[in-house]
Amino acid sequence: WVLGPVDRGGLNLNETTIAEHLKQKNYSTAIVGKWHLGSRKIYLPGNRGFDYYLGIPYSDDMGDAIASECPGKDDDDNREYSE
């Protein structure tokens, strides 16, 4: 099941992601890569339990890339991290 840039839906909001399970145990979560589970803001990783997201919501050959923010609805955290 792969969603592209013209799809309006995404991973069913009733589904619990691994990130949401891990957050219940106080883990920090991150995802890197293609998401393919919905490109509308409500379906992006920041709204599905992930703290950090570096990637694109679909393959770059499926249309123009879009800028996506994470953590989705809490856009006030713009800190940079380095080690």
Side-chain angles (χ1 to χ4, degrees), residues 45-73:
N47 287 320
R48 302 310 307 264
F50 289 93
D51 296 314
Y52 305 101
Y53 172 45
L54 175 62
I56 56 176
Y58 44 80
S59 299
D60 63 352
D61 62 350
M62 295 176 79
D64 294 334
I66 61 169
S68 59
E69 300 168 348
C70 191
K73 57 189 168 198

mmCIF file of all heavy atoms in Angstrom, residues 45-73:
data_model
loop_
_atom_site.group_PDB
_atom_site.id
_atom_site.type_symbol
_atom_site.label_atom_id
_atom_site.label_comp_id
_atom_site.label_asym_id
_atom_site.label_seq_id
_atom_site.Cartn_x
_atom_site.Cartn_y
_atom_site.Cartn_z
ATOM 1 N N PRO A 45 4.401 12.043 9.753
ATOM 2 C CA PRO A 45 4.953 11.393 10.942
ATOM 3 C C PRO A 45 4.823 12.192 12.236
ATOM 4 O O PRO A 45 4.631 11.601 13.308
ATOM 5 C CB PRO A 45 6.426 11.182 10.584
ATOM 6 C CG PRO A 45 6.435 11.066 9.105
ATOM 7 C CD PRO A 45 5.370 12.020 8.641
ATOM 8 N N GLY A 46 4.915 13.507 12.174
ATOM 9 C CA GLY A 46 4.807 14.316 13.384
ATOM 10 C C GLY A 46 3.453 14.216 14.054
ATOM 11 O O GLY A 46 3.321 14.459 15.253
ATOM 12 N N ASN A 47 2.443 13.853 13.293
ATOM 13 C CA ASN A 47 1.109 13.660 13.849
ATOM 14 C C ASN A 47 0.795 12.184 14.082
ATOM 15 O O ASN A 47 -0.325 11.842 14.437
ATOM 16 C CB ASN A 47 0.060 14.268 12.917
ATOM 17 C CG ASN A 47 0.095 15.769 12.984
ATOM 18 O OD1 ASN A 47 0.259 16.344 14.047
ATOM 19 N ND2 ASN A 47 -0.030 16.422 11.856
ATOM 20 N N ARG A 48 1.787 11.330 13.871
ATOM 21 C CA ARG A 48 1.593 9.892 14.061
ATOM 22 C C ARG A 48 2.558 9.333 15.091
ATOM 23 O O ARG A 48 2.879 8.157 15.109
ATOM 24 C CB ARG A 48 1.746 9.157 12.725
ATOM 25 C CG ARG A 48 0.796 9.601 11.621
ATOM 26 C CD ARG A 48 -0.683 9.661 12.025
ATOM 27 N NE ARG A 48 -1.213 8.471 12.623
ATOM 28 C CZ ARG A 48 -1.887 7.525 11.979
ATOM 29 N NH1 ARG A 48 -2.129 7.658 10.708
ATOM 30 N NH2 ARG A 48 -2.329 6.474 12.621
ATOM 31 N N GLY A 49 3.061 10.206 15.986
ATOM 32 C CA GLY A 49 3.867 9.747 17.112
ATOM 33 C C GLY A 49 5.364 9.947 16.995
ATOM 34 O O GLY A 49 6.087 9.712 17.945
ATOM 35 N N PHE A 50 5.846 10.384 15.839
ATOM 36 C CA PHE A 50 7.282 10.561 15.665
ATOM 37 C C PHE A 50 7.708 11.957 16.124
ATOM 38 O O PHE A 50 7.067 12.948 15.812
ATOM 39 C CB PHE A 50 7.682 10.348 14.204
ATOM 40 C CG PHE A 50 7.583 8.916 13.782
ATOM 41 C CD1 PHE A 50 6.431 8.433 13.187
ATOM 42 C CD2 PHE A 50 8.636 8.042 14.001
ATOM 43 C CE1 PHE A 50 6.330 7.105 12.804
ATOM 44 C CE2 PHE A 50 8.541 6.713 13.620
ATOM 45 C CZ PHE A 50 7.382 6.242 13.021
ATOM 46 N N ASP A 51 8.830 12.015 16.857
ATOM 47 C CA ASP A 51 9.379 13.288 17.315
ATOM 48 C C ASP A 51 10.152 13.999 16.213
ATOM 49 O O ASP A 51 10.126 15.220 16.129
ATOM 50 C CB ASP A 51 10.324 13.074 18.499
ATOM 51 C CG ASP A 51 9.602 12.526 19.714
ATOM 52 O OD1 ASP A 51 8.524 13.038 20.051
ATOM 53 O OD2 ASP A 51 10.130 11.564 20.312
ATOM 54 N N TYR A 52 10.849 13.241 15.394
ATOM 55 C CA TYR A 52 11.704 13.810 14.352
ATOM 56 C C TYR A 52 11.476 13.072 13.043
ATOM 57 O O TYR A 52 11.311 11.848 13.036
ATOM 58 C CB TYR A 52 13.181 13.731 14.755
ATOM 59 C CG TYR A 52 13.411 14.386 16.083
ATOM 60 C CD1 TYR A 52 13.530 13.630 17.238
ATOM 61 C CD2 TYR A 52 13.463 15.778 16.192
ATOM 62 C CE1 TYR A 52 13.697 14.231 18.471
ATOM 63 C CE2 TYR A 52 13.629 16.382 17.420
ATOM 64 C CZ TYR A 52 13.741 15.605 18.551
ATOM 65 O OH TYR A 52 13.892 16.207 19.769
ATOM 66 N N TYR A 53 11.518 13.812 11.956
ATOM 67 C CA TYR A 53 11.292 13.239 10.628
ATOM 68 C C TYR A 53 12.204 13.930 9.633
ATOM 69 O O TYR A 53 12.202 15.151 9.517
ATOM 70 C CB TYR A 53 9.836 13.448 10.239
ATOM 71 C CG TYR A 53 9.460 13.080 8.818
ATOM 72 C CD1 TYR A 53 9.894 11.907 8.231
ATOM 73 C CD2 TYR A 53 8.643 13.913 8.082
ATOM 74 C CE1 TYR A 53 9.519 11.573 6.947
ATOM 75 C CE2 TYR A 53 8.255 13.593 6.795
ATOM 76 C CZ TYR A 53 8.693 12.407 6.229
ATOM 77 O OH TYR A 53 8.321 12.078 4.964
ATOM 78 N N LEU A 54 12.985 13.137 8.926
ATOM 79 C CA LEU A 54 13.816 13.634 7.846
ATOM 80 C C LEU A 54 13.485 12.789 6.630
ATOM 81 O O LEU A 54 13.823 11.604 6.574
ATOM 82 C CB LEU A 54 15.309 13.508 8.183
ATOM 83 C CG LEU A 54 16.270 13.887 7.063
ATOM 84 C CD1 LEU A 54 16.107 15.349 6.670
ATOM 85 C CD2 LEU A 54 17.693 13.586 7.465
ATOM 86 N N GLY A 55 12.769 13.362 5.700
ATOM 87 C CA GLY A 55 12.383 12.574 4.544
ATOM 88 C C GLY A 55 11.367 13.294 3.679
ATOM 89 O O GLY A 55 11.152 14.486 3.803
ATOM 90 N N ILE A 56 10.746 12.511 2.826
ATOM 91 C CA ILE A 56 9.701 13.020 1.945
ATOM 92 C C ILE A 56 8.490 12.107 2.090
ATOM 93 O O ILE A 56 8.623 10.924 2.409
ATOM 94 C CB ILE A 56 10.180 13.089 0.478
ATOM 95 C CG1 ILE A 56 10.690 11.736 -0.013
ATOM 96 C CG2 ILE A 56 11.242 14.155 0.307
ATOM 97 C CD1 ILE A 56 11.077 11.707 -1.468
ATOM 98 N N PRO A 57 7.289 12.650 1.874
ATOM 99 C CA PRO A 57 6.093 11.836 2.079
ATOM 100 C C PRO A 57 5.844 10.813 0.974
ATOM 101 O O PRO A 57 5.004 9.945 1.125
ATOM 102 C CB PRO A 57 4.968 12.859 2.156
ATOM 103 C CG PRO A 57 5.501 14.075 1.493
ATOM 104 C CD PRO A 57 6.985 14.048 1.668
ATOM 105 N N TYR A 58 6.569 10.906 -0.141
ATOM 106 C CA TYR A 58 6.437 9.952 -1.236
ATOM 107 C C TYR A 58 7.703 10.018 -2.075
ATOM 108 O O TYR A 58 8.555 10.868 -1.860
ATOM 109 C CB TYR A 58 5.207 10.251 -2.097
ATOM 110 C CG TYR A 58 5.041 11.718 -2.417
ATOM 111 C CD1 TYR A 58 5.771 12.318 -3.434
ATOM 112 C CD2 TYR A 58 4.170 12.511 -1.686
ATOM 113 C CE1 TYR A 58 5.647 13.666 -3.710
ATOM 114 C CE2 TYR A 58 4.038 13.858 -1.963
ATOM 115 C CZ TYR A 58 4.772 14.428 -2.979
ATOM 116 O OH TYR A 58 4.649 15.758 -3.249
ATOM 117 N N SER A 59 7.858 9.115 -3.022
ATOM 118 C CA SER A 59 9.067 9.079 -3.850
ATOM 119 C C SER A 59 9.242 10.358 -4.650
ATOM 120 O O SER A 59 8.258 10.927 -5.128
ATOM 121 C CB SER A 59 9.010 7.899 -4.823
ATOM 122 O OG SER A 59 8.945 6.692 -4.129
ATOM 123 N N ASP A 60 10.470 10.782 -4.825
ATOM 124 C CA ASP A 60 10.718 12.025 -5.551
ATOM 125 C C ASP A 60 10.367 11.926 -7.033
ATOM 126 O O ASP A 60 10.239 12.932 -7.709
ATOM 127 C CB ASP A 60 12.159 12.508 -5.365
ATOM 128 C CG ASP A 60 13.188 11.540 -5.910
ATOM 129 O OD1 ASP A 60 12.826 10.412 -6.311
ATOM 130 O OD2 ASP A 60 14.363 11.913 -5.922
ATOM 131 N N ASP A 61 10.162 10.727 -7.548
ATOM 132 C CA ASP A 61 9.759 10.586 -8.945
ATOM 133 C C ASP A 61 8.237 10.569 -9.114
ATOM 134 O O ASP A 61 7.732 10.371 -10.200
ATOM 135 C CB ASP A 61 10.375 9.331 -9.566
ATOM 136 C CG ASP A 61 9.918 8.058 -8.890
ATOM 137 O OD1 ASP A 61 9.282 8.117 -7.829
ATOM 138 O OD2 ASP A 61 10.208 6.980 -9.444
ATOM 139 N N MET A 62 7.503 10.798 -8.031
ATOM 140 C CA MET A 62 6.041 10.786 -8.087
ATOM 141 C C MET A 62 5.448 12.187 -8.133
ATOM 142 O O MET A 62 4.237 12.352 -8.061
ATOM 143 C CB MET A 62 5.478 10.036 -6.882
ATOM 144 C CG MET A 62 5.837 8.578 -6.860
ATOM 145 S SD MET A 62 5.263 7.748 -5.376
ATOM 146 C CE MET A 62 3.552 7.494 -5.782
ATOM 147 N N GLY A 63 6.271 13.208 -8.185
ATOM 148 C CA GLY A 63 5.780 14.579 -8.208
ATOM 149 C C GLY A 63 6.746 15.478 -7.479
ATOM 150 O O GLY A 63 7.793 15.059 -7.021
ATOM 151 N N ASP A 64 6.378 16.734 -7.382
ATOM 152 C CA ASP A 64 7.220 17.704 -6.698
ATOM 153 C C ASP A 64 7.257 17.414 -5.201
ATOM 154 O O ASP A 64 6.245 17.058 -4.598
ATOM 155 C CB ASP A 64 6.696 19.128 -6.917
ATOM 156 C CG ASP A 64 6.811 19.565 -8.365
ATOM 157 O OD1 ASP A 64 7.693 19.034 -9.072
ATOM 158 O OD2 ASP A 64 6.015 20.414 -8.786
ATOM 159 N N ALA A 65 8.417 17.565 -4.621
ATOM 160 C CA ALA A 65 8.552 17.393 -3.178
ATOM 161 C C ALA A 65 7.881 18.567 -2.465
ATOM 162 O O ALA A 65 7.765 19.652 -3.009
ATOM 163 C CB ALA A 65 10.026 17.332 -2.793
ATOM 164 N N ILE A 66 7.405 18.318 -1.259
ATOM 165 C CA ILE A 66 6.820 19.385 -0.459
ATOM 166 C C ILE A 66 7.586 19.485 0.849
ATOM 167 O O ILE A 66 8.158 18.503 1.315
ATOM 168 C CB ILE A 66 5.324 19.148 -0.166
ATOM 169 C CG1 ILE A 66 5.117 17.858 0.634
ATOM 170 C CG2 ILE A 66 4.510 19.137 -1.438
ATOM 171 C CD1 ILE A 66 3.728 17.695 1.190
ATOM 172 N N ALA A 67 7.598 20.659 1.409
ATOM 173 C CA ALA A 67 8.227 20.840 2.713
ATOM 174 C C ALA A 67 7.263 20.328 3.770
ATOM 175 O O ALA A 67 6.074 20.620 3.728
ATOM 176 C CB ALA A 67 8.537 22.307 2.945
ATOM 177 N N SER A 68 7.759 19.517 4.686
ATOM 178 C CA SER A 68 6.918 19.035 5.771
ATOM 179 C C SER A 68 7.621 19.310 7.089
ATOM 180 O O SER A 68 8.835 19.232 7.192
ATOM 181 C CB SER A 68 6.617 17.547 5.608
ATOM 182 O OG SER A 68 7.796 16.806 5.590
ATOM 183 N N GLU A 69 6.835 19.662 8.058
ATOM 184 C CA GLU A 69 7.381 20.011 9.359
ATOM 185 C C GLU A 69 7.119 18.888 10.338
ATOM 186 O O GLU A 69 6.143 18.168 10.224
ATOM 187 C CB GLU A 69 6.723 21.298 9.857
ATOM 188 C CG GLU A 69 6.960 22.457 8.916
ATOM 189 C CD GLU A 69 6.082 23.640 9.237
ATOM 190 O OE1 GLU A 69 5.141 23.502 10.036
ATOM 191 O OE2 GLU A 69 6.334 24.697 8.676
ATOM 192 N N CYS A 70 7.995 18.764 11.314
ATOM 193 C CA CYS A 70 7.806 17.781 12.360
ATOM 194 C C CYS A 70 8.348 18.392 13.641
ATOM 195 O O CYS A 70 9.374 19.043 13.600
ATOM 196 C CB CYS A 70 8.557 16.497 12.027
ATOM 197 S SG CYS A 70 8.146 15.126 13.082
ATOM 198 N N PRO A 71 7.705 18.304 14.722
ATOM 199 C CA PRO A 71 6.532 17.482 14.954
ATOM 200 C C PRO A 71 5.253 18.168 14.487
ATOM 201 O O PRO A 71 4.853 19.133 15.097
ATOM 202 C CB PRO A 71 6.518 17.272 16.446
ATOM 203 C CG PRO A 71 7.301 18.407 17.017
ATOM 204 C CD PRO A 71 8.256 18.855 15.942
ATOM 205 N N GLY A 72 4.682 17.721 13.401
ATOM 206 C CA GLY A 72 3.460 18.181 12.743
ATOM 207 C C GLY A 72 2.747 19.374 13.311
ATOM 208 O O GLY A 72 2.909 20.472 12.837
ATOM 209 N N LYS A 73 1.959 19.186 14.345
ATOM 210 C CA LYS A 73 1.127 20.278 14.834
ATOM 211 C C LYS A 73 1.817 21.147 15.876
ATOM 212 O O LYS A 73 1.311 22.169 16.255
ATOM 213 C CB LYS A 73 -0.179 19.725 15.382
ATOM 214 C CG LYS A 73 -0.016 18.715 16.470
ATOM 215 C CD LYS A 73 -1.337 18.068 16.797
ATOM 216 C CE LYS A 73 -1.095 16.870 17.676
ATOM 217 N NZ LYS A 73 -2.193 15.966 17.700
#
